[in-house]
Amino acid sequence: ICTQCHRSSEFLSSDIEAILEEVAAARNFATAETEIKLFGVCEECRTGVKAPTLDGAATELVFARDALRIAVATERSGLEFYSRAASLATDPRGREVFERLAEDEKHHLGTLEKRYAELIATDPTLEERPTFLFFKGAAQGIFAEGAEKLREGVDDLKALLIGIRCERDSHKFFKKYGDRFEDSEGKRIFLEFAEEEREHRDMLIKEYRLLQARLGVGRAARRTQVEPRTAQ
C-alpha cells in the first residue's frame, strides 16, 4: 500500500502462509482470517516512472506467467533430484525408473519453457510486471531437500521413499493452490502439474514395493519404515 498515491497491489506467498500456519498450530490457534499489509512508497511515486497497470486481462496473464515460472522451477529441481538418484542407484530396475523419471522431467521442462516463451510473446511488457505468486520455497525446496538427503548416502529403497515423499508433497502443494484459484490458465497449469506429480508418486510406490519383494524385505522390516500407501 503506497502512502502517497494510496494505490495497492496484492500478492500471494505460500512461504508466508506456511509460517503463519506453523505459528497458529504451535499456539493451538484457530485462525479465521489473516491479513498482512506492507506500507511504503511505490516505485512510481519515488521515481516518477509510470508503472504498468493491471486490468483483468493483464492480471490473468501475470498469474499464468507466475504459475509457469513455479512449474519450471519445480521441474528443474525434480530433474536434478532424479538425475542424482539414477547415478547413485545400485539396483538396475531402480536406476531405470529414476532415469525414466529424469527423462520425463526433462521433456516436461522443455514443454513448460516453450509455453512460457509463447506466453511472453503475447505481451512485450509481461516480463516487467510485478510478481504476484511468491512460491519459491515450495517450487524449489521440496526436491532440493530430497537431493540433500541423497547426498547423505542412502540405499535404493530409501532413495525411492524420498522420491515418493517429494512427489507426494509436490502433488499436495499444486493441488491445494490449484483448487483455490478461480478458473484461469494459472489454475489449469497448477492442476496439470498436480496430476503429473501424482502419476510419478504412484509409479515410485509401485517400484518401491517391487524392490521390497525382490530384496525379500519382511513384514517386520517394512513396518519400521513410513509406508508408501500413506502418501496420499
Side-chain angles (χ1 to χ4, degrees):
I1 301 169
C2 180
T3 55
Q4 290 189 18
C5 67
H6 306 294
R7 286 179 297 185
S8 64
S9 60
E10 294 185 346
F11 68 92
L12 180 61
S13 169
S14 63
D15 302 312
I16 291 176
E17 287 193 0
I19 292 171
L20 294 175
E21 289 171 3
E22 181 183 351
V23 171
R27 300 186 177 188
N28 197 25
F29 185 75
T31 306
E33 182 181 358
T34 58
E35 188 175 86
I36 294 177
K37 297 180 180 180
L38 283 69
F39 292 93
V41 182
C42 70
E43 181 181 11
E44 187 170 338
C45 288
R46 288 197 324 273
T47 65
V49 177
K50 187 172 178 60
T53 57
L54 288 181
D55 56 20
T59 299
E60 180 156 341
L61 282 175
V62 167
F63 182 16
R65 178 204 67 185
D66 291 352
L68 280 169
R69 284 178 176 175
I70 293 161
V72 165
T74 305
E75 207 71 87
R76 285 177 179 158
S77 185
L79 174 57
E80 180 184 353
F81 172 83
Y82 286 117
S83 298
R84 181 173 294 276
S87 70
L88 296 173
T90 57
D91 177 69
R93 184 182 172 97
R95 185 184 306 112
E96 182 183 339
V97 170
F98 287 134
E99 288 173 346
R100 191 189 325 155
L101 285 169
E103 193 59 34
D104 272 359
E105 301 285 76
K106 185 177 180 180
H107 173 73
H108 292 146
L109 178 59
T111 301
L112 289 168
E113 289 176 334
K114 182 180 177 182
R115 286 174 70 179
Y116 185 82
E118 290 171 349
L119 180 68
I120 296 301
T122 65
D123 182 350
T125 69
L126 190 54
E127 285 270 56
E128 303 167 6
R129 296 185 185 275
T131 301
F132 173 66
L133 301 176
F134 292 88
F135 287 0
K136 182 177 179 181
Q140 300 172 340
I142 294 172
F143 285 97
E145 184 179 344
E148 281 299 318
K149 290 179 179 177
L150 290 180
R151 290 188 185 96
E152 296 170 3
V154 297
D155 60 22
D156 290 356
L157 273 176
K158 185 66 174 177
L160 285 167
L161 198 58
I162 292 170
I164 290 167
R165 288 169 177 160
C166 289
E167 295 289 359
R168 175 201 63 195
D169 292 346
S170 187
H171 164 74
K172 286 171 64 177
F173 169 80
F174 282 99
K175 186 72 166 59
K176 171 185 175 182
Y177 282 98
D179 286 341
R180 279 176 53 177
F181 298 138
E182 295 181 0
D183 188 39
S184 61
E185 179 64 14
K187 178 186 181 77
R188 287 188 286 275
I189 291 166
F190 268 52
L191 292 181
E192 284 173 16
F193 209 76
E195 179 61 20
E196 177 190 318
E197 304 297 75
R198 185 193 64 77
E199 290 174 359
H200 286 179
R201 180 204 66 192
D202 291 349
M203 181 191 300
L204 288 168
I205 289 174
K206 178 182 177 181
E207 293 303 324
Y208 179 87
R209 289 172 175 160
L210 288 172
L211 181 55
Q212 280 186 317
R214 291 199 301 278
L215 296 177
V217 177
R219 292 181 179 274
R222 286 201 296 269
R223 284 197 295 269
T224 65
Q225 303 186 46
V226 177
E227 286 287 344
R229 59 185 176 82
T230 63
Q232 302 297 325

